[in-house]
Amino acid sequence: MSEDFRARARAWLADNAPRRGSADDEAEAEARGQDAVLAEQKAFQAALYDAGFAGITWPIQYGGQGLTSAEQIIWSQESRDYDLPTGMFFIGLSMPGNTILEVGSEDQKKRYLPKMLRGEEIWCQLFSEPGAGSDVASLQTSAVRDGDEWVLNGQKVWTSGAQYSDYGAILARTDPSKPKHEGISMFIVDMHAPGVTVRPLKVATGHSPFNEVFFDGVRLPADAIIGEENKGWAAAVVMLRHERIAIGTMGSSRSSALGFDSLRDLAAGLGRTGDQGVRRELAELYARGRAMSLFALLLRQETQAGKLPGARGSVAKLAGSELGRFAGNVAADVLGDQLAGSDSEEFQAVTTSIIAVPGSSIAGGTAEIQRNIIGERVLGLAKDPGVDRATPFNQLRVGTQRQH
Ligand SMILES: Cc1cc2nc3c(=O)[nH]c(=O)nc-3n(C[C@H](O)[C@H](O)[C@H](O)COP(=O)(O)OP(=O)(O)OC[C@H]3O[C@@H](n4cnc5c(N)ncnc54)[C@H](O)[C@@H]3O)c2cc1C
């Protein structure tokens, strides 16, 4: 069975997927325009679905393949040498998708998951606010019940992909009289609804991967809640767990611009692989990448078997982002001044990645927050005091509460 799957995956990828290094980098994609990239990625995701390689471990009744982590692992191995143009679906499938699968209603699973897998609808994650990042439970976006609907008001920030998303999973405060973790609900919001405004934010690479998003009187149906009313924190914990694993396991990709294969090939092209220092750095990058990808596979397998990773999700996220930063340093050391001013596409992709990679230590919970979690849950160190945990949110006078 698994070997059949491997043969099928190998043949399909060879016929349909762009080889590593042949896909557009961020600058090229931006030059082609968002609509062209969107159309290409939607078509590729649909082809992936039709061929039976989307949602490999998701249940068949929600559009998945109903296979096991063994096939998922085979797919990761076989697709490693390809640049699959599916980046716009990464957040939706790994975060809101997996969360709906775990805590969503039957109707939500049937309505949204197949369309995500077929590439028909793109999703984003709307957690962070100007006054609520690491401490996301301090969020102030509100959802107030009005008959059969909810009315959403507030602002989110750093929302990756909001500019091309159809739906978002948003956290909003539904009962400010409860302590901050208890009065939150998670909703599905239509990003094209009246009252939603998306403004792109430019980052150091010159690109706009994320946005600020404003919600002014946006009306949501009563059944837009993912999980239970005022139990949004539990749904958020589920999504953050999937996010940590997804981001943590991303950094181990050998095929990215800062991956081992890419840097080895570039170093070889410059005739630098005979240098002992370069060899040592590349060897360490290979060893750390391999350790990370094995750890990631283990976590995926265990999660698939129903064993939650707990604080090891934080270990994966932290190790993945540390690996990314290490790879950035290796690239700068190995390629050195060749990077500056080079107009080669490959070198530019490396330069852009070096500038972008520190963001992976912030996205999905900062390195300091992951260290706090590991300190508390693995090392048994004392918890942060959390003096505001038991106080009703509307009585807190800290943070950015507007009313006080
Ligand atoms: C590339 C990228 C993509 C992102 N995409 C999304 C997205 O799609 N959706 C979304 O909702 N958000 C997204 N974010 C936002 C991200 O989740 C937040 O930036 C992150 O949680 C940190 O919050 P903050 O920026 O408000 O920093 P703050 O929470 O203000 O932290 C500032 C500094 O203080 C430190 N700090 C804070 N609290 C503690 C503590 N208790 N102990 C020790 N140190 C602490 C932090 O580590 C950090 O160094 C993205 C961020 C990046 C960089």
Side-chain angles (χ1 to χ4, degrees):
M1 169 69 184
S2 289
E3 285 318 304
D4 282 357
F5 181 85
R6 186 185 295 282
R8 220 160 41 80
R10 190 172 290 177
W12 189 85
L13 285 162
D15 288 345
N16 296 283
R19 299 292 299 188
R20 178 170 65 82
S22 65
D24 285 350
D25 63 21
E26 212 177 347
E28 288 168 318
E30 204 154 281
R32 283 173 54 212
Q34 182 181 291
D35 289 350
V37 176
L38 196 59
E40 179 201 34
Q41 296 212 0
K42 284 189 165 189
F44 189 85
Q45 181 68 28
L48 206 58
Y49 177 87
D50 290 341
F53 299 115
I56 290 172
T57 61
W58 283 15
I60 292 170
Q61 65 268 37
Y62 310 129
Q65 300 302 318
L67 298 172
T68 68
S69 53
E71 282 81 16
Q72 183 65 59
I73 291 165
I74 290 172
W75 176 257
S76 308
Q77 290 168 342
E78 293 297 325
S79 58
R80 198 173 58 190
D81 290 331
Y82 296 88
D83 273 334
L84 304 187
T86 52
M88 287 167 156
F89 298 94
F90 172 74
I91 289 179
L93 291 171
S94 32
M95 297 164 209
N98 274 317
T99 306
I100 291 175
L101 196 57
E102 240 179 87
V103 300
S105 68
E106 192 58 22
D107 284 351
Q108 288 168 348
K109 291 179 199 176
K110 289 197 171 123
R111 158 66 186 83
Y112 296 108
L113 299 182
K115 283 180 186 271
M116 264 187 214
L117 288 174
R118 287 200 296 264
E120 289 169 22
E121 290 170 351
I122 301 186
W123 283 63
C124 60
Q125 177 215 39
L126 299 142
F127 280 18
S128 305
E129 298 184 2
S134 299
D135 183 16
V136 74
S138 289
L139 61 91
Q140 292 181 69
T141 294
S142 67
V144 175
R145 191 75 191 235
D146 181 22
D148 280 348
E149 294 180 320
W150 293 91
V151 183
L152 188 65
N153 282 290
Q155 183 199 343
K156 297 289 173 177
V157 74
W158 318 127
T159 317
S160 304
Q163 70 273 39
Y164 49 72
S165 286
D166 301 297
Y167 290 94
I170 186 166
L171 288 179
R173 192 160 300 284
T174 38
D175 189 348
S177 72
K178 290 191 156 69
K180 64 180 186 176
H181 292 90
E182 292 171 30
I184 292 172
S185 304
M186 186 185 286
F187 295 89
I188 295 170
V189 58
D190 177 349
M191 296 297 286
H192 307 297
V196 179
T197 308
V198 177
R199 287 199 202 139
L201 294 166
K202 200 168 244 189
V203 300
T205 59
H207 308 300
S208 299
F210 46 41
N211 307 268
E212 45 185 3
V213 186
F214 299 85
F215 299 92
D216 296 301
V218 177
R219 302 193 81 84
L220 308 172
D223 63 2
I225 290 191
I226 303 175
E228 289 176 50
E229 183 176 338
N230 292 330
K231 296 276 168 34
W233 188 250
V237 167
V238 170
M239 196 181 299
L240 290 170
R241 162 163 47 84
H242 287 293
E243 179 170 24
R244 280 175 200 139
I245 295 176
I247 296 180
T249 54
M250 214 167 62
S252 57
S253 164
R254 279 175 56 180
S255 63
S256 67
L258 296 182
F260 170 79
D261 290 354
S262 153
L263 295 183
R264 178 205 51 201
D265 291 352
L266 290 174
L270 295 172
R272 301 215 57 206
T273 42
D275 181 307
Q276 284 301 321
V278 168
R279 293 169 77 86
R280 202 172 45 241
E281 288 211 282
L282 286 174
E284 185 174 346
L285 179 61
Y286 178 85
R288 287 175 67 166
R290 183 89 182 113
M292 187 64 227
S293 66
L294 290 173
F295 183 47
L297 288 182
L298 180 74
L299 288 190
R300 279 205 206 107
Q301 264 175 321
E302 288 183 356
T303 309
Q304 169 76 15
K307 184 177 170 199
L308 298 183
R312 292 185 309 155
S314 292
V315 175
K317 162 79 214 318
L318 182 60
S321 60
E322 296 278 299
L323 174 61
R325 295 183 86 122
F326 175 72
N329 290 339
V330 173
D333 286 349
V334 170
L335 307 176
D337 54 11
Q338 300 287 328
L339 284 173
S342 167
D343 52 10
S344 125
E345 284 173 12
E346 280 168 314
F347 281 104
Q348 280 180 2
V350 171
T351 307
T352 303
S353 298
I354 290 174
I355 297 170
V357 87
S360 67
S361 299
I362 301 172
T366 67
E368 289 78 12
I369 294 301
Q370 306 311 330
R371 286 195 166 92
N372 278 355
I373 294 171
I374 295 164
E376 287 166 19
R377 299 199 202 146
V378 180
L379 306 179
L381 302 177
K383 266 179 91 66
D384 263 1
V387 287
D388 56 355
R389 290 183 77 89
T391 312
F393 186 75
N394 56 11
Q395 288 175 27
L396 291 176
R397 289 175 187 274
V398 293
T400 55
Q401 286 229 60
R402 293 182 199 111
Q403 298 93 322
H404 298 291

